[in-house]
Amino acid sequence: MQAFLAILRYDLGQLARSWLVRIWIVLLAAPALFLVVVAANEGELASETLAAYTAAIYAPFSAIAVAVLAVGAVSGESGVSADSILSRSVTRTEYIAAKVVARLGVTLGVYAVIMIPFAYLVMRYAISDASVGGVVVGLLMVASELAFLAAVGITLSTFMRNVLFAVLVLVVGILVSGVALQFVGLTWMSTTAVINDLPETFRGETPVRDEVRVLIVFASLSGLAIISSIWHFRYKDL
């Protein structure tokens, strides 16, 4: 347990000092503040403003940032992990578990820091056509997609040593699968469909059954990805 906590603290410290994380936060925060001002002065609808920001700003910037952070969890530090494990200072399970917690924690932490204040300000100063329940569920649905992206990225980091290629595979794979699932009508399994339907979700117009299915599907897939990454890392050659 001490080794797990030590790696977790170290990884969180590295992420906090990362220029990627700092630039990512700035790129998210600046447009959010701008949209709050525009929504307040121009009488924009809260649901449309929240959905437009998520689709045009948060989703694309975060997809790239989270993909890089997640894929670099193991493959970006292969020498460090090999030295730590081979010297028996830490077990494989402790190492990969700490990486999972740190990368998921930063992903969801940044999301909460940006989206919760943004949603509050938009609902306060824009035309309030969104329901509180709808906004909460919509934010949780997007959070589940981000967690899924990070979990799959960590899994790829245990299988692939080339970080840039793994990032490309992750981003393209998520995008293509989302479009394909949306095309065949499986919108509750499609990342793109969930994003496209956010205005209705924020207004509370999305059926509860569909919302629950989205949350269950992406939470389950994230869990499977994490289990796969831990299992594979325990037996892979370093």
Side-chain angles (χ1 to χ4, degrees), residues 80-92 95 233 238:
V80 175
S81 63
D83 290 342
S84 300
I85 292 168
L86 293 176
S87 66
R88 298 183 181 275
S89 61
V90 58
T91 66
R92 292 176 181 242
Y95 183 87
F233 188 74
L238 297 178

Side-chain angles (χ1 to χ4, degrees), residues 135-229:
V135 170
V136 170
V137 172
L139 293 181
L140 287 175
M141 290 166 65
V142 176
S144 68
E145 290 190 347
L146 282 172
F148 169 66
L149 177 67
V152 175
I154 295 170
T155 301
L156 287 178
S157 76
T158 66
F159 283 88
M160 306 173 70
R161 294 186 180 275
N162 190 315
V163 175
L164 292 179
F165 182 67
V167 169
L168 180 63
V169 170
L170 176 59
V171 173
V172 173
I174 293 293
L175 179 60
V176 171
S177 64
V179 172
L181 289 169
Q182 185 175 0
F183 179 77
V184 299
L186 298 175
T187 55
W188 45 276
M189 295 181 65
S190 167
T191 54
T192 54
V194 171
I195 298 296
N196 290 340
D197 293 340
L198 281 177
E200 292 80 8
T201 302
F202 289 142
R203 290 194 293 266
E205 298 171 359
T206 302
V208 175
R209 181 184 64 178
D210 292 346
E211 296 172 340
V212 172
R213 282 198 298 185
V214 168
L215 294 173
I216 292 176
V217 164
F218 284 103
S220 300
L221 292 175
S222 299
L224 287 174
I226 292 171
I227 292 172
S228 298
S229 65

